[in-house]
Amino acid sequence: MSISTQTSGDGQTLTIRVQDRFDFNVHRDLRQAYEAAGKRFGNYVLDLRGTTYMDSAALGMLLQLREHAGGKRQAVRLTNAQPVIRDILAVANFDQLFTIE
Amino acid sequence: MNDTHSVIPAFVTLAAALCTLLVAQPAVALVCLLVVAAVWKWDGMRARNTAVNEAEANAQPGTEAYDAERVELLHGASTQTIRQLQGDMVQIRELIRSAVAELGSSFDGFHADAQTQKSLMDEAVRTLANGSSEAGAGRDGGDSVTISKFVRDTSSVLQGFVDNAITASKRGMDIVNMIDTMNTQMTEIFELLGDVKGIADQTNLLALNAAIEAARAGEAGRGFAVVADEVRKLSLNSAHFNEQIRAQVENAQSTMHSTRKLVGDSASMDMSMLLTHKSSIDGMMKHLSSLESSLNGLIGQTSGLTAQIAERSSNAVRALQFEDIVRQVAEHGEKELGRLENLVETGVARWSSHALDESVEQLRQAAAALREMQPRKPAHQATMSEGDIELF
């Protein structure tokens, strides 16, 4: 499974790790990953360390996650993105919508 | 012999006097010196030749005829030299005049070309400025198409394309979410259908029991048996409809699955192609701006050079006024040569009329008279760089 989750000790932050290809095929798993808890976390971290590919569907899913998280720039953090993924995020101007680390 | 010796110094004295007169006039002074040198040398040669050919000479030394011949020869030679010099002066004057005219028109052409070049450069700078600065594009109402404007437009079109693609993907993902929700709801329909089937099965069983009880009742239960049979048929029909509904919902679910896949595919666009385009446009912009700045620099330099060329050709045209001075100097020289010739004629005439004894003194007086007649010197300058040009 290319999606794995981890909840922080204080239960405030949900970290989702996307492995390999981040595209339409992970949609259902990703949605389940952040909706399964049945509540909204204060912070969401999308760890892109193992992500090697990202298409426009993935960008749409990120926007959905942002919407789910409340629509604030600080609510979703995109971390450890590789250069090619960083370029895609830059082309999409996502640095204005997300906290990219 | 005394007479002979007094003739030559007379010429020398005459020439020297003229040289003194003209000493401040280098060109003419040079001519005089040449004349003196020529006469002196000619006299020396003549003297030697005379000595060698003494036996053959028609006139004997010490005789008047001998002296007359010498004077005549000197007279002829100096007159010829003076006329040749006059001709040379005229030729020099003419050569300088035509060369200066040619140079002047060339420099005028330079100047005009430099001005044209400068205005072209200014035009180029304006065009470039219009193309590069936002203010320039705004001033033209955005009508003019420049490369950098085209690249900017392309860049914004591409950005719009990216934004649209992301928005469409987001909507597609929302639709997929809804389809997933509908799918869940349909699964609930299956559960309900299961309940309905249970009820039909129970009804069927119930009808069967009723039929059995009706048969046991005999004739009295005949009517009830008919009802029980109808109820059983209804339960079978109900089960059949149930199956049909289930099949239809399954079809709908399969259609929704296909729809989900279609929406997902349309929402999935490879971003790497966009990245390539974007980076090539960025590179082009960078290249254009560096090109523009280097072009601006070069044009600025060229413009400066053009101004310099214009100034230098103006200086050159100004410097060409030396022709005027040279002409006047040459004319002056020609006049002086004319006087020299007259003086020689006078000296020879006096000598011929046996007035030589007084002639040296008279020549001095004539020279003094000439000095009195001396016209104003045409120019004092030795070089063109000596201050401003003096026109007269």
Side-chain angles (χ1 to χ4, degrees):
Chain A
M1 190 167 164
S2 60
I3 300 286
S4 57
T5 57
Q6 187 185 346
T7 309
S8 66
D10 59 2
Q12 282 298 300
T13 305
L14 179 68
T15 302
I16 305 169
R17 183 165 292 179
V18 183
Q19 207 64 29
D20 303 329
R21 289 175 72 85
F22 188 178
D23 58 15
F24 180 58
N25 293 321
V26 305
H27 171 259
R28 195 169 284 162
D29 292 342
L30 181 65
R31 189 183 174 199
Q32 272 175 8
Y34 62 77
E35 282 185 352
K39 65 155 189 170
R40 211 165 81 186
F41 288 85
N43 294 296
Y44 290 85
V45 176
L46 208 64
D47 189 346
L48 301 170
R49 191 191 306 275
T51 310
T52 54
Y53 176 85
M54 191 184 247
D55 63 5
S56 64
L59 297 175
M61 285 182 253
L62 287 177
L63 290 177
Q64 283 186 322
L65 173 58
R66 180 171 179 273
E67 211 169 73
H68 175 81
K72 285 185 184 138
R73 187 171 172 272
Q74 294 79 10
V76 179
R77 286 187 289 146
L78 309 176
T79 60
N80 303 321
Q82 292 175 19
V84 62
I85 304 298
R86 251 176 203 280
D87 286 347
I88 291 171
L89 294 173
V91 164
N93 287 330
F94 267 23
D95 51 338
Q96 291 165 19
L97 303 174
F98 298 89
T99 306
I100 297 175
E101 298 170 342
Chain B
M1 285 299 279
N2 283 341
D3 289 346
T4 311
H5 288 304
S6 62
V7 172
I8 304 304
F11 272 104
V12 174
T13 310
L14 172 66
L18 270 172
C19 287
T20 316
L21 280 178
L22 306 172
V23 76
Q25 191 51 255
V28 179
L30 186 66
V31 170
C32 288
L33 281 174
L34 283 171
V35 172
V36 170
V39 170
W40 193 266
K41 194 181 172 195
W42 184 85
D43 181 60
M45 282 170 64
R46 175 71 189 159
R48 275 195 301 279
N49 288 343
T50 306
V52 169
N53 300 325
E54 200 171 347
E56 298 162 22
N58 292 331
Q60 291 302 311
T63 65
E64 195 169 300
Y66 181 82
D67 285 344
E69 191 186 343
R70 291 189 71 178
V71 166
E72 191 48 46
L73 283 166
L74 276 169
H75 176 217
S78 39
T79 306
Q80 193 189 351
T81 308
I82 285 167
R83 295 214 171 125
Q84 204 170 340
L85 282 169
Q86 277 176 327
D88 288 352
M89 292 288 249
V90 171
Q91 196 185 356
I92 286 170
R93 193 147 56 83
E94 185 52 33
L95 282 173
I96 286 176
R97 193 196 59 73
S98 66
V100 164
E102 183 71 23
L103 279 172
S105 75
S106 287
F107 280 125
D108 283 347
F110 266 159
H111 195 77
D113 287 351
Q115 292 300 331
T116 311
Q117 195 179 10
K118 186 161 162 35
S119 66
L120 283 175
M121 282 297 165
D122 290 347
E123 181 64 31
V125 169
R126 266 198 301 281
T127 309
L128 258 181
N130 284 350
S132 59
S133 71
E134 293 291 339
R139 194 178 55 212
D140 283 5
D143 287 340
S144 64
V145 176
T146 62
I147 297 172
S148 50
K149 185 173 184 299
F150 173 74
V151 172
R152 266 201 311 277
D153 289 352
T154 310
S155 181
S156 76
V157 165
L158 190 72
Q159 191 59 54
F161 184 69
V162 169
D163 293 347
N164 282 343
I166 293 167
T167 309
S169 291
K170 165 72 167 55
R171 288 199 184 125
M173 291 300 112
D174 288 345
I175 293 169
V176 169
N177 274 4
M178 286 176 186
I179 290 172
D180 286 349
T181 307
M182 277 168 76
N183 201 35
T184 311
Q185 289 163 351
M186 291 217 173
T187 309
E188 284 164 11
I189 292 176
F190 284 133
E191 284 169 18
L192 292 175
L193 284 174
D195 292 348
V196 172
K197 188 169 185 300
I199 291 167
D201 288 349
Q202 279 178 10
T203 310
N204 188 22
L205 203 61
L206 217 63
L208 193 64
N209 285 340
I212 291 165
E213 291 302 321
R216 198 177 289 171
E219 193 60 26
R222 184 179 292 267
F224 191 70
V226 173
V227 173
D229 193 45
E230 288 301 317
V231 169
R232 190 166 163 268
K233 278 181 188 168
L234 281 174
S235 80
L236 287 175
N237 279 349
S238 172
H240 180 63
F241 281 135
N242 191 44
E243 277 309 307
Q244 279 185 323
I245 291 170
R246 177 182 286 276
Q248 285 298 327
V249 173
E250 271 174 0
N251 280 347
Q253 223 174 7
S254 147
T255 305
M256 271 170 30
H257 186 73
S258 304
T259 309
R260 184 184 195 276
K261 191 174 179 311
L262 273 177
V263 172
D265 285 349
S266 68
S268 302
M269 195 183 64
D270 193 349
M271 302 293 286
S272 59
M273 179 199 66
L274 276 177
L275 278 183
T276 312
H277 286 318
K278 181 105 164 79
S279 74
S280 71
I281 283 178
D282 287 349
M284 204 186 287
M285 286 297 272
K286 208 173 285 176
H287 177 68
L288 264 180
S289 74
S290 80
L291 191 72
E292 266 172 16
S293 64
S294 71
L295 257 183
N296 271 329
L298 283 176
I299 285 176
Q301 280 179 9
T302 315
S303 205
L305 280 179
T306 308
Q308 227 170 35
I309 289 173
E311 197 193 324
R312 286 187 180 170
S313 53
S314 293
N315 284 346
V317 168
R318 197 148 44 82
L320 283 180
Q321 290 171 355
F322 85 92
E323 186 260 346
D324 210 30
I325 301 165
V326 168
R327 181 178 54 75
Q328 293 183 49
V329 170
E331 279 171 358
H332 185 72
E334 284 163 34
K335 274 184 200 148
E336 295 302 320
L337 283 172
R339 283 202 192 88
L340 182 61
E341 195 180 358
N342 280 340
L343 215 53
V344 170
E345 293 293 341
T346 312
V348 169
R350 282 180 184 274
W351 184 83
S352 300
S353 61
H354 302 277
L356 196 62
D357 288 344
E358 314 98 81
S359 69
V360 172
E361 185 51 38
Q362 280 169 354
L363 282 170
R364 283 205 183 103
Q365 284 169 6
L370 265 176
R371 194 183 294 121
E372 293 304 313
M373 288 159 59
Q374 182 78 358
R376 194 169 83 83
K377 221 167 26 168
H380 304 274
Q381 284 159 293
T383 68
M384 287 310 292
S385 57
E386 279 181 9
D388 294 333
I389 305 300
E390 184 188 333
L391 296 175
F392 42 84

